[in-house]
Amino acid sequence: MGSRTKLQTKIARVWGGFGLLAVVGYADYITGYDLTISAFYLLPILYVLRYVGPEFAFVMAMMSAFVWLFADIVAGERYSDFLTPIWNTGIRMSI
């Protein structure tokens, strides 16, 4: 395989990871903030870890934590203070 084909394959797999993240984020939004599906956020992370590399898997982990937070806020989650969502997002990123 040529280097151009390898690059195109890697880009397609990156977009596949984004697609998986979008599906999981939408499912998280639909289920609401009372039901957590945080384990499913590992799917796009593991996918890009396997097919793209550990550097982008780290980026996908950070993006997954912020998508999780965004989905919960849009679904109606309310926090008592400013630090709680920051703490929760940090914990999700560390997993």
Side-chain angles (χ1 to χ4, degrees):
M1 239 176 14
S3 62
R4 182 175 178 175
T5 306
K6 286 182 182 180
L7 179 63
Q8 289 173 340
T9 302
K10 192 174 238 185
I11 290 172
R13 289 176 175 167
V14 165
W15 281 107
F18 286 141
L20 279 171
L21 181 60
V23 168
V24 172
Y26 182 71
D28 194 12
Y29 165 72
I30 294 298
T31 58
Y33 62 88
D34 290 332
L35 179 65
T36 182
I37 61 168
S38 59
F40 291 101
Y41 281 102
L42 290 174
L43 294 174
I45 297 168
L46 293 174
Y47 175 81
V48 297
L49 177 64
R50 169 86 168 117
Y51 293 111
V52 180
E55 297 84 13
F56 194 74
F58 179 75
V59 172
M60 185 63 74
M62 292 191 319
M63 291 175 60
S64 294
F66 287 111
V67 168
W68 162 78
L69 178 65
F70 181 75
D72 278 354
I73 289 174
V74 171
E77 175 74 36
R78 299 290 176 246
Y79 296 100
S80 59
D81 59 14
F82 179 72
L83 293 177
T84 302
I86 294 171
W87 175 261
N88 290 345
T89 304
I91 294 298
R92 299 282 170 129
M93 275 193 270
S94 69
I95 291 174

XYZ file of all heavy atoms in Angstrom:
757
model
N 0.839 -1.176 0.000
C 0.000 0.000 0.000
C 0.884 1.239 0.000
O 1.864 1.315 0.718
C -0.875 -0.007 1.258
C -2.316 0.007 0.917
S -3.612 -0.103 2.167
C -3.004 0.170 3.727
N 0.484 2.212 -0.787
C 1.237 3.453 -0.851
C 0.981 4.329 0.353
O 0.044 4.136 1.114
N 1.848 5.319 0.542
C 1.701 6.210 1.694
C 0.431 7.046 1.596
O -0.178 7.366 2.607
C 2.926 7.113 1.814
O 3.053 7.941 0.680
N 0.032 7.379 0.369
C -1.195 8.153 0.208
C -2.417 7.327 0.611
O -3.327 7.825 1.265
C -1.332 8.618 -1.236
C -2.555 9.463 -1.441
C -2.631 10.029 -2.814
N -3.865 10.781 -2.915
C -4.200 11.483 -3.938
N -3.399 11.559 -4.972
N -5.333 12.125 -3.959
N -2.436 6.067 0.244
C -3.535 5.184 0.603
C -3.585 4.971 2.117
O -4.669 4.944 2.705
C -3.395 3.828 -0.106
O -3.272 4.055 -1.505
C -4.570 2.925 0.162
N -2.421 4.847 2.756
C -2.375 4.690 4.211
C -2.920 5.932 4.899
O -3.649 5.829 5.883
C -0.951 4.416 4.676
C -0.467 3.029 4.372
C 0.934 2.826 4.908
C 1.451 1.451 4.553
N 2.814 1.237 5.064
N -2.571 7.103 4.386
C -3.070 8.349 4.958
C -4.581 8.447 4.793
O -5.289 8.833 5.727
C -2.385 9.547 4.316
C -2.834 10.920 4.817
C -2.497 11.071 6.297
C -2.183 12.021 3.996
N -5.085 8.103 3.622
C -6.523 8.146 3.384
C -7.255 7.169 4.301
O -8.330 7.476 4.826
C -6.840 7.832 1.928
C -6.447 8.930 0.984
C -6.622 8.535 -0.474
O -6.691 7.351 -0.813
N -6.688 9.538 -1.343
N -6.686 5.999 4.517
C -7.287 5.013 5.409
C -7.310 5.532 6.838
O -8.308 5.391 7.547
C -6.509 3.687 5.343
O -6.497 3.228 3.994
C -7.116 2.641 6.234
N -6.214 6.163 7.262
C -6.146 6.708 8.617
C -7.165 7.829 8.802
O -7.840 7.897 9.834
C -4.743 7.221 8.908
C -4.496 7.532 10.356
C -3.051 7.904 10.589
C -2.489 6.948 11.589
N -1.132 7.284 11.989
N -7.308 8.686 7.806
C -8.297 9.776 7.878
C -9.705 9.204 7.938
O -10.542 9.677 8.715
C -8.116 10.741 6.692
C -6.813 11.525 6.854
C -9.308 11.685 6.569
C -6.435 12.354 5.659
N -9.977 8.179 7.158
C -11.297 7.540 7.193
C -11.575 6.937 8.567
O -12.699 7.008 9.076
C -11.391 6.470 6.120
N -10.561 6.371 9.181
C -10.747 5.785 10.511
C -10.930 6.856 11.573
O -11.666 6.657 12.548
C -9.577 4.872 10.828
C -9.630 3.614 9.980
C -8.459 2.729 10.195
N -8.639 1.483 9.448
C -7.695 0.615 9.228
N -6.473 0.825 9.712
N -7.944 -0.483 8.550
N -10.278 7.996 11.420
C -10.501 9.121 12.333
C -11.961 9.564 12.234
O -12.628 9.775 13.248
C -9.533 10.283 12.029
C -9.982 11.557 12.711
C -8.121 9.925 12.437
N -12.457 9.692 11.017
C -13.862 10.080 10.833
C -14.805 9.014 11.372
O -15.877 9.324 11.886
C -14.153 10.372 9.372
C -13.683 11.729 8.972
C -12.606 12.030 8.195
C -14.232 12.988 9.372
N -12.455 13.385 8.085
C -13.451 14.006 8.803
C -15.304 13.348 10.177
C -13.696 15.354 8.998
C -15.557 14.703 10.367
C -14.765 15.677 9.790
N -14.395 7.752 11.264
C -15.184 6.675 11.861
C -15.263 6.824 13.370
O -16.324 6.594 13.971
N -14.171 7.212 13.990
C -14.174 7.475 15.435
C -15.089 8.623 15.800
O -15.833 8.560 16.797
N -15.059 9.690 14.991
C -15.972 10.813 15.220
C -17.426 10.373 15.076
O -18.292 10.807 15.834
C -15.685 11.964 14.258
C -14.449 12.745 14.576
C -13.629 13.194 13.560
C -14.093 13.043 15.877
C -12.488 13.932 13.833
C -12.957 13.773 16.171
C -12.154 14.214 15.146
N -17.682 9.527 14.088
C -19.034 9.024 13.885
C -19.512 8.204 15.066
O -20.657 8.358 15.518
N -18.646 7.334 15.579
C -19.009 6.557 16.761
C -19.281 7.466 17.960
O -20.227 7.252 18.710
C -17.892 5.574 17.111
C -17.835 4.283 16.335
C -16.545 3.537 16.665
C -19.032 3.424 16.658
N -18.449 8.483 18.122
C -18.641 9.426 19.229
C -19.961 10.163 19.085
O -20.679 10.372 20.068
C -17.476 10.408 19.306
C -17.535 11.440 20.425
C -17.582 10.757 21.784
C -16.341 12.379 20.339
N -20.314 10.543 17.869
C -21.586 11.229 17.644
C -22.768 10.323 17.971
O -23.747 10.765 18.590
C -21.677 11.712 16.195
N -22.682 9.062 17.584
C -23.772 8.117 17.874
C -23.918 7.910 19.374
O -25.038 7.938 19.911
C -23.519 6.772 17.146
C -24.452 5.686 17.657
C -23.676 6.951 15.652
N -22.816 7.730 20.073
C -22.876 7.527 21.521
C -23.373 8.792 22.220
O -24.192 8.725 23.143
C -21.500 7.087 22.069
C -21.496 7.052 23.584
C -21.120 5.733 21.515
N -22.910 9.950 21.778
C -23.375 11.211 22.369
C -24.860 11.424 22.159
O -25.570 11.863 23.072
N -25.348 11.097 20.977
C -26.778 11.227 20.710
C -27.579 10.246 21.559
O -28.622 10.606 22.113
C -27.065 11.015 19.221
C -28.515 11.186 18.872
C -29.106 12.449 18.895
C -29.306 10.101 18.532
C -30.440 12.616 18.595
C -30.644 10.264 18.223
C -31.204 11.517 18.253
O -32.533 11.677 17.960
N -27.084 9.026 21.683
C -27.762 8.039 22.534
C -27.775 8.499 23.986
O -28.773 8.308 24.699
C -27.085 6.681 22.409
N -26.698 9.125 24.429
C -26.635 9.656 25.790
C -27.648 10.780 25.971
O -28.319 10.872 27.005
C -25.228 10.142 26.086
C -24.974 10.385 27.558
O -25.799 9.963 28.396
O -23.921 10.965 27.886
N -27.783 11.620 24.988
C -28.771 12.700 25.039
C -30.197 12.138 25.084
O -31.025 12.591 25.865
C -28.594 13.623 23.838
C -29.765 14.534 23.601
C -30.012 15.602 24.456
C -30.627 14.332 22.528
C -31.087 16.433 24.249
C -31.697 15.164 22.313
C -31.932 16.214 23.173
O -33.010 17.037 22.979
N -30.480 11.147 24.242
C -31.821 10.566 24.171
C -32.200 9.881 25.482
O -33.345 9.968 25.931
C -31.910 9.564 22.989
C -31.774 10.288 21.664
C -33.186 8.747 23.017
C -32.861 11.296 21.390
N -31.252 9.185 26.110
C -31.559 8.479 27.349
C -31.695 9.411 28.537
O -32.229 9.016 29.569
C -30.482 7.422 27.669
O -29.221 8.063 27.772
C -30.459 6.339 26.624
N -31.231 10.645 28.406
C -31.348 11.609 29.496
C -30.189 11.494 30.474
O -29.382 10.573 30.419
N -30.145 12.443 31.391
C -29.026 12.490 32.321
C -29.197 11.548 33.509
O -28.247 11.297 34.241
C -28.779 13.916 32.807
C -29.937 14.522 33.555
C -30.066 14.341 34.923
C -30.885 15.290 32.899
C -31.121 14.900 35.613
C -31.942 15.847 33.570
C -32.053 15.650 34.936
O -33.110 16.200 35.612
N -30.389 11.021 33.721
C -30.603 10.095 34.835
C -29.987 8.722 34.584
O -29.616 8.023 35.519
C -32.099 9.917 35.112
C -32.712 11.168 35.716
O -31.976 11.923 36.386
O -33.918 11.391 35.522
N -29.889 8.338 33.341
C -29.320 7.045 32.965
C -27.966 7.279 32.301
O -27.886 7.945 31.270
C -30.256 6.318 31.992
C -29.800 4.959 31.490
C -29.737 3.969 32.649
C -30.737 4.461 30.426
N -26.929 6.748 32.898
C -25.593 6.958 32.337
C -25.193 5.800 31.426
O -25.419 4.642 31.753
C -24.536 7.136 33.443
O -23.273 7.380 32.826
C -24.439 5.937 34.348
N -24.668 6.159 30.291
C -24.151 5.153 29.363
C -22.666 5.438 29.122
O -22.153 5.230 28.031
C -24.945 5.127 28.045
C -24.867 6.463 27.320
C -26.388 4.734 28.278
C -25.385 6.386 25.899
N -21.993 5.860 30.168
C -20.602 6.301 30.026
C -19.677 5.193 29.536
O -18.667 5.483 28.898
C -20.092 6.868 31.350
O -20.167 5.886 32.365
N -19.983 3.942 29.803
C -19.123 2.853 29.331
C -19.086 2.796 27.805
O -18.077 2.386 27.222
C -19.605 1.525 29.893
N -20.149 3.234 27.156
C -20.194 3.202 25.694
C -19.285 4.252 25.055
O -18.966 4.155 23.878
C -21.629 3.360 25.195
C -22.475 2.167 25.499
C -23.356 2.180 26.567
C -22.377 1.016 24.740
C -24.130 1.080 26.863
C -23.140 -0.091 25.022
C -24.020 -0.067 26.094
N -18.877 5.249 25.837
C -17.923 6.228 25.313
C -16.548 5.599 25.086
O -15.706 6.181 24.413
C -17.798 7.423 26.263
C -18.944 8.391 26.124
C -19.991 8.407 27.041
C -18.993 9.292 25.077
C -21.044 9.290 26.915
C -20.041 10.182 24.936
C -21.064 10.174 25.870
O -22.099 11.053 25.736
N -16.328 4.419 25.646
C -15.069 3.723 25.411
C -14.984 3.167 23.985
O -13.882 2.937 23.481
C -14.897 2.585 26.415
C -14.642 3.019 27.851
C -14.637 1.809 28.767
C -13.348 3.781 27.968
N -16.116 2.951 23.333
C -16.115 2.398 21.974
C -15.327 3.250 20.986
O -14.439 2.734 20.295
C -17.541 2.163 21.489
C -18.326 1.087 22.226
C -19.770 1.061 21.743
C -17.677 -0.258 22.057
N -15.624 4.560 20.859
C -14.820 5.351 19.910
C -13.364 5.489 20.341
O -12.464 5.538 19.500
C -15.522 6.709 19.851
C -16.396 6.766 21.031
C -16.714 5.354 21.426
N -13.117 5.509 21.654
C -11.740 5.625 22.132
C -10.947 4.372 21.764
O -9.837 4.454 21.233
C -11.719 5.855 23.660
C -12.397 7.182 24.002
C -10.285 5.838 24.185
C -12.682 7.360 25.472
N -11.520 3.218 22.019
C -10.839 1.970 21.698
C -10.697 1.778 20.189
O -9.697 1.227 19.716
C -11.579 0.790 22.324
C -11.547 0.743 23.848
C -12.427 -0.383 24.366
C -10.135 0.617 24.364
N -11.683 2.232 19.440
C -11.616 2.133 17.977
C -10.429 2.911 17.434
O -9.634 2.391 16.650
C -12.928 2.618 17.360
C -12.906 2.660 15.862
C -13.115 1.513 15.118
C -12.681 3.850 15.173
C -13.093 1.535 13.730
C -12.655 3.885 13.797
C -12.867 2.731 13.081
O -12.842 2.753 11.709
N -10.304 4.180 17.847
C -9.187 4.974 17.322
C -7.859 4.520 17.921
O -6.826 4.649 17.277
C -9.398 6.498 17.508
C -10.601 6.979 16.728
C -9.500 6.874 18.951
N -7.872 3.975 19.127
C -6.636 3.427 19.688
C -6.138 2.283 18.826
O -4.946 2.197 18.519
C -6.868 2.943 21.121
C -5.677 2.269 21.801
C -4.535 3.260 21.974
C -6.098 1.695 23.130
N -7.034 1.440 18.396
C -6.667 0.270 17.593
C -6.259 0.656 16.175
O -5.293 0.138 15.637
C -7.853 -0.692 17.551
C -7.738 -1.813 16.581
C -6.997 -2.975 17.188
N -7.156 -4.153 16.332
C -6.143 -4.744 15.741
N -4.937 -4.307 15.924
N -6.343 -5.790 14.980
N -7.000 1.558 15.545
C -6.811 1.815 14.121
C -6.063 3.104 13.782
O -5.632 3.276 12.647
C -8.154 1.811 13.398
C -8.784 0.443 13.404
C -9.923 0.185 14.142
C -8.223 -0.599 12.680
C -10.499 -1.069 14.159
C -8.785 -1.857 12.682
C -9.922 -2.086 13.428
O -10.481 -3.344 13.448
N -5.955 4.034 14.740
C -5.269 5.302 14.443
C -4.001 5.438 15.273
O -2.943 5.746 14.740
C -6.212 6.504 14.663
C -5.497 7.807 14.364
C -7.462 6.367 13.817
N -4.114 5.224 16.589
C -2.933 5.317 17.435
C -3.247 5.907 18.790
O -4.318 6.490 19.003
N -2.315 5.780 19.734
C -2.577 6.246 21.097
C -2.682 7.767 21.233
O -3.391 8.251 22.112
C -1.383 5.713 21.896
C -0.339 5.396 20.899
C -1.035 5.100 19.613
N -2.007 8.506 20.364
C -2.089 9.964 20.463
C -3.502 10.444 20.200
O -4.051 11.269 20.939
C -1.124 10.638 19.483
C 0.330 10.347 19.749
C 0.796 9.029 19.137
O 0.075 8.450 18.295
O 1.889 8.580 19.528
N -4.105 9.931 19.136
C -5.461 10.363 18.832
C -6.471 9.752 19.793
O -7.519 10.330 20.028
C -5.844 10.045 17.385
C -7.085 10.777 16.958
C -7.023 12.127 16.698
C -8.302 10.136 16.867
C -8.154 12.827 16.339
C -9.439 10.816 16.513
C -9.363 12.172 16.247
N -6.155 8.598 20.374
C -7.046 8.007 21.374
C -7.138 8.920 22.594
O -8.213 9.058 23.193
C -6.558 6.621 21.772
N -6.024 9.567 22.943
C -6.044 10.526 24.050
C -6.939 11.716 23.710
O -7.736 12.165 24.538
C -4.616 10.993 24.360
C -4.539 11.985 25.460
C -4.700 11.589 26.780
C -4.313 13.322 25.192
C -4.639 12.509 27.810
C -4.245 14.249 26.205
C -4.406 13.842 27.529
N -6.819 12.207 22.496
C -7.677 13.312 22.040
C -9.145 12.881 22.054
O -10.019 13.624 22.507
C -7.253 13.785 20.631
C -8.243 14.772 20.061
C -5.858 14.370 20.664
N -9.417 11.664 21.601
C -10.795 11.161 21.588
C -11.337 11.007 23.007
O -12.518 11.237 23.248
C -10.860 9.823 20.845
C -12.253 9.282 20.672
S -13.345 10.317 19.669
C -12.710 10.033 18.047
N -10.491 10.636 23.959
C -10.925 10.524 25.356
C -11.333 11.885 25.901
O -12.354 12.007 26.589
C -9.815 9.912 26.204
N -10.565 12.904 25.589
C -10.929 14.252 26.039
C -12.217 14.711 25.367
O -13.100 15.280 26.022
C -9.789 15.232 25.764
C -8.579 14.975 26.617
S -7.309 16.255 26.596
C -7.203 16.741 24.911
N -12.336 14.464 24.078
C -13.548 14.851 23.363
C -14.761 14.100 23.904
O -15.845 14.679 24.036
C -13.381 14.605 21.870
C -12.391 15.522 21.212
S -12.085 15.130 19.491
C -13.696 15.293 18.796
N -14.589 12.833 24.235
C -15.696 12.036 24.774
C -16.185 12.607 26.095
O -17.396 12.650 26.354
C -15.259 10.586 24.972
O -14.984 9.971 23.755
N -15.260 13.046 26.942
C -15.658 13.627 28.224
C -16.476 14.902 28.012
O -17.487 15.124 28.692
C -14.425 13.916 29.071
N -16.075 15.720 27.058
C -16.819 16.949 26.812
C -18.146 16.695 26.109
O -19.127 17.394 26.379
C -15.967 17.944 26.025
C -14.885 18.554 26.860
C -13.560 18.257 26.621
C -15.190 19.409 27.905
C -12.560 18.798 27.399
C -14.203 19.960 28.693
C -12.880 19.658 28.437
N -18.208 15.693 25.242
C -19.480 15.326 24.612
C -20.436 14.792 25.666
O -21.627 15.114 25.659
C -19.266 14.299 23.473
C -20.572 13.686 23.017
C -18.556 14.958 22.303
N -19.935 13.975 26.593
C -20.764 13.474 27.691
C -21.343 14.639 28.496
O -22.543 14.668 28.789
C -19.929 12.578 28.604
C -20.548 12.366 29.942
C -21.568 11.522 30.255
C -20.212 13.056 31.140
N -21.873 11.637 31.586
C -21.055 12.579 32.153
C -19.277 14.036 31.460
C -20.988 13.042 33.459
C -19.220 14.492 32.757
C -20.059 13.997 33.738
N -20.503 15.615 28.854
C -20.968 16.774 29.618
C -21.999 17.570 28.824
O -23.054 17.943 29.347
C -19.783 17.665 29.997
C -20.122 18.942 30.751
C -20.705 18.608 32.113
C -18.887 19.813 30.879
N -21.719 17.814 27.555
C -22.635 18.571 26.712
C -23.983 17.857 26.573
O -25.035 18.481 26.673
C -22.012 18.805 25.335
C -22.879 19.589 24.409
C -23.041 20.951 24.570
C -23.552 18.970 23.367
C -23.845 21.686 23.723
C -24.356 19.682 22.514
C -24.512 21.048 22.684
N -23.943 16.538 26.362
C -25.189 15.772 26.218
C -26.021 15.837 27.490
O -27.248 15.969 27.424
C -24.878 14.317 25.863
N -25.382 15.760 28.643
C -26.129 15.834 29.897
C -26.716 17.221 30.131
O -27.855 17.353 30.579
C -25.241 15.434 31.072
C -25.136 13.937 31.232
O -25.840 13.202 30.503
O -24.363 13.488 32.095
N -25.960 18.257 29.822
C -26.471 19.622 30.014
C -27.641 19.892 29.072
O -28.664 20.447 29.472
C -25.346 20.656 29.834
C -24.384 20.567 31.019
C -25.908 22.065 29.701
C -23.149 21.433 30.884
N -27.518 19.477 27.809
C -28.603 19.674 26.841
C -29.829 18.850 27.231
O -30.963 19.285 27.026
C -28.119 19.317 25.412
C -29.257 19.308 24.425
C -27.058 20.305 24.966
N -29.613 17.688 27.847
C -30.728 16.836 28.269
C -31.430 17.379 29.511
O -32.504 16.894 29.866
C -30.239 15.417 28.536
N -30.841 18.369 30.171
C -31.528 18.999 31.295
C -30.834 18.904 32.629
O -31.394 19.323 33.643
N -29.636 18.376 32.677
C -28.900 18.259 33.939
C -28.581 19.654 34.478
O -28.147 20.538 33.747
C -27.607 17.481 33.722
C -26.711 17.401 34.944
C -27.214 16.452 36.002
O -27.775 15.409 35.633
O -27.056 16.765 37.188
N -28.819 19.837 35.759
C -28.502 21.096 36.433
C -27.523 20.805 37.558
O -27.678 19.825 38.285
C -29.758 21.760 37.004
C -30.786 22.103 35.961
C -30.304 23.253 35.079
N -31.257 23.519 34.022
C -31.037 23.346 32.747
N -29.885 22.876 32.345
N -31.930 23.611 31.835
N -26.521 21.636 37.696
C -25.503 21.445 38.722
C -25.649 22.514 39.785
O -25.999 23.664 39.500
C -24.110 21.502 38.103
C -23.862 20.386 37.114
C -23.957 20.597 35.738
C -23.551 19.120 37.558
C -23.728 19.568 34.837
C -23.324 18.080 36.661
C -23.415 18.313 35.310
O -23.196 17.293 34.433
N -25.339 22.146 41.028
C -25.513 23.078 42.137
C -24.419 24.143 42.171
O -24.634 25.216 42.730
C -25.522 22.317 43.465
O -24.304 21.607 43.633
N -23.275 23.847 41.597
C -22.205 24.842 41.558
C -21.393 24.678 40.274
O -21.643 23.785 39.471
C -21.293 24.733 42.786
C -20.646 23.367 42.927
O -20.674 22.587 41.972
O -20.121 23.086 44.018
N -20.416 25.531 40.115
C -19.613 25.565 38.894
C -18.572 24.443 38.838
O -18.223 23.966 37.768
C -18.933 26.934 38.796
C -18.053 27.094 37.603
C -18.592 27.212 36.334
C -16.667 27.109 37.741
C -17.780 27.353 35.222
C -15.849 27.252 36.643
C -16.413 27.378 35.380
N -18.090 24.015 39.995
C -17.000 23.049 40.031
C -17.441 21.612 39.792
O -16.633 20.786 39.369
C -16.261 23.145 41.368
C -15.500 24.450 41.587
C -14.873 24.475 42.971
C -14.437 24.637 40.529
N -18.682 21.287 40.062
C -19.150 19.907 39.902
C -19.003 19.399 38.474
O -18.457 18.310 38.271
C -20.597 19.769 40.385
O -20.657 20.173 41.757
C -21.091 18.353 40.254
N -19.454 20.120 37.438
C -19.257 19.591 36.082
C -17.784 19.517 35.682
O -17.389 18.614 34.945
C -20.037 20.555 35.189
C -20.223 21.776 35.978
C -20.230 21.349 37.418
N -16.963 20.429 36.191
C -15.534 20.386 35.896
C -14.918 19.142 36.524
O -14.145 18.416 35.887
C -14.826 21.665 36.382
C -15.321 22.864 35.574
C -13.313 21.534 36.295
C -14.853 24.183 36.093
N -15.270 18.858 37.772
C -14.770 17.672 38.459
C -15.227 16.399 37.738
O -14.428 15.496 37.500
C -15.247 17.671 39.903
C -14.879 16.424 40.638
C -15.678 15.350 40.867
C -13.615 16.120 41.212
N -14.986 14.389 41.559
C -13.714 14.838 41.784
C -12.404 16.796 41.302
C -12.648 14.228 42.435
C -11.355 16.182 41.959
C -11.483 14.914 42.510
N -16.508 16.333 37.395
C -17.042 15.149 36.715
C -16.360 14.922 35.363
O -16.057 13.784 34.998
C -18.549 15.272 36.528
C -19.296 15.158 37.826
O -18.761 14.732 38.841
N -20.555 15.555 37.809
N -16.134 15.994 34.635
C -15.469 15.877 33.333
C -14.030 15.414 33.519
O -13.542 14.569 32.755
C -15.516 17.219 32.585
O -16.876 17.636 32.472
C -14.893 17.104 31.211
N -13.348 15.919 34.510
C -11.988 15.475 34.795
C -11.921 14.000 35.154
O -11.022 13.276 34.707
N -12.875 13.551 35.945
C -12.933 12.145 36.314
C -13.190 11.284 35.091
O -12.573 10.232 34.884
C -14.014 11.910 37.386
C -13.635 12.604 38.688
C -14.247 10.425 37.603
C -12.356 12.102 39.322
N -14.109 11.708 34.228
C -14.378 10.946 33.005
C -13.158 10.878 32.094
O -12.898 9.870 31.475
C -15.543 11.547 32.233
C -16.853 11.566 32.962
C -17.497 10.206 32.933
N -18.619 10.180 33.829
C -19.815 9.767 33.509
N -20.066 9.311 32.315
N -20.776 9.762 34.401
N -12.406 11.981 32.015
C -11.203 11.973 31.187
C -10.152 11.032 31.745
O -9.409 10.407 30.996
C -10.628 13.378 31.063
C -11.254 14.191 29.966
S -10.332 15.658 29.605
C -11.102 16.806 30.711
N -10.095 10.930 33.057
C -9.059 10.078 33.653
C -9.360 8.591 33.470
O -8.442 7.775 33.506
C -8.914 10.391 35.143
O -10.060 9.968 35.864
N -10.612 8.242 33.259
C -10.969 6.836 33.042
C -10.435 6.417 31.691
O -9.898 5.374 31.505
C -12.493 6.636 33.110
C -12.954 6.853 34.533
C -12.889 5.262 32.627
C -14.438 6.837 34.711
